[in-house]
Amino acid sequence: MGLNVLITNIHLWNRSGTTLYVRDLALELCRQGHRAAVFTLEKGVISSELEAAGIPVVTNLKRLDFAPDIIHGHHNITTRLALAHYPQTPAIYLCHAHVSNHEITPLSPQIRRFFGVSQGCVERLVREGVPREEARLIFNFVDTNRFQPRPPLPARPARALVFSNYARPNTHLTAVQEACRQAGIPLDVAGAGMGAVVDRPEELLGRYDLVFAKAKAALEAMAVGAAVILCDFGGVGPFVTAADFERLRPLNFGFQALTEPLESRHVLAQIDRYDPGESARVRDLVRAHSGLMPSVAGLVKIYREVIGEHAAAPVAVRRPDRRPRIAEQRLYIKLYRKWARLDPDQRDWLKSQRIFQFLAGILRKRIGGQKSQPNAGEGDKNEAVDGA
């Protein structure tokens, strides 16, 4: 029997880690015979894709035309709003970022499973009040039907790509450009930070031999068979090999793996490790162990366990001490969207203004709906960081 699943996400206006996770999850749930809907505060390009596929996306839960069997929560505010609207419905919660005010852990007896997509996210859950034995790791996935294998890699990389929404001259782009210049490898950039948003990365990644990325973007590049060096504004990580796959996977190929400073010499050292055979083995590991279909089947099993537990022992629901401030959250999302469109020099100027610092501090304190933990937000880079 199919389930009714309500997925939450704070916005769907760009192609980031959680928005793509939501899209892939909702589409696959429907392919597996379930019914999915998404609750968000602001629609956008991803909601348009979902609605075109017949999946409802609502910004007001009163407009949802079915009662969910379970809530699959992402982000504090949207999860709490869904829990308040459906007080008898059980939930699970997934943390996708080791920092970000959006992902302050919502603590509710309705939430019967807490997951992090990396060890860093699991540690955040524990830090913010989830008992350690209840904070669990769940691996990220990639749609292996969408991301098909490319032809075999050449002996030496002929083209390289930086695949990141955070790639800009003031983050990691300059170090990668210099390393590729020294290695004699032409380099392109794909990502919102450089105004090069890619709607269909599955058609792009196979054109490149070497890809610099992290987290879900790195998984997608690995799935097509590109050679991948983990790199983003957090630092430089390793060239991904089969031998290192099991160590890096619990890190979500993310920030905890980026252990070297953003210097061209560290990037060049990883370029020198390029090995087509290793990348082919990594491709096979990703396709065997990180596919969308089995990952969603595993989530459905968790959903059914949670629904069964909830039916056997319903939680005592009480009125929240403090209802989420949805108007403030909507304002925050609109302001952040405008912020994301500014160039780095404009952002730096604004951050230098005391009135901006004062107002930003007030807004950050108010949007979480509960006291922020240390490191919950560390500036504009981390406000919407997915895939810790």
Side-chain angles (χ1 to χ4, degrees), residues 117-138:
V117 298
S118 72
Q119 289 178 348
C121 291
V122 171
E123 290 303 315
R124 177 179 187 166
L125 292 171
V126 174
R127 198 166 61 241
E128 296 182 347
V130 178
R132 182 167 292 278
E133 66 274 12
E134 296 180 18
R136 310 175 189 187
L137 179 67
I138 192 166

Side-chain angles (χ1 to χ4, degrees), residues 38 81 138 170 216 223 227 259 330 336 347 356 385:
V38 181
L81 287 167
I138 192 166
N170 67 335
K216 191 171 179 65
T259 56
R330 290 190 192 281
Y336 180 76
R347 294 186 193 185
F356 176 86
V385 171

Side-chain angles (χ1 to χ4, degrees), residues 129-158:
V130 178
R132 182 167 292 278
E133 66 274 12
E134 296 180 18
R136 310 175 189 187
L137 179 67
I138 192 166
F139 292 125
N140 215 332
F141 53 66
V142 59
D143 186 346
T144 52
N145 288 325
R146 185 186 290 259
F147 291 88
Q148 289 291 318
R150 54 156 288 155
L153 290 170
R156 184 183 182 282

Side-chain angles (χ1 to χ4, degrees), residues 76 93 95 103-107 114 124-126 128-130 370:
N76 179 287
Y93 180 76
C95 175
E103 303 220 31
I104 295 172
T105 307
L107 301 175
F114 291 88
R124 177 179 187 166
L125 292 171
V126 174
E128 296 182 347
V130 178
Q370 61 193 73

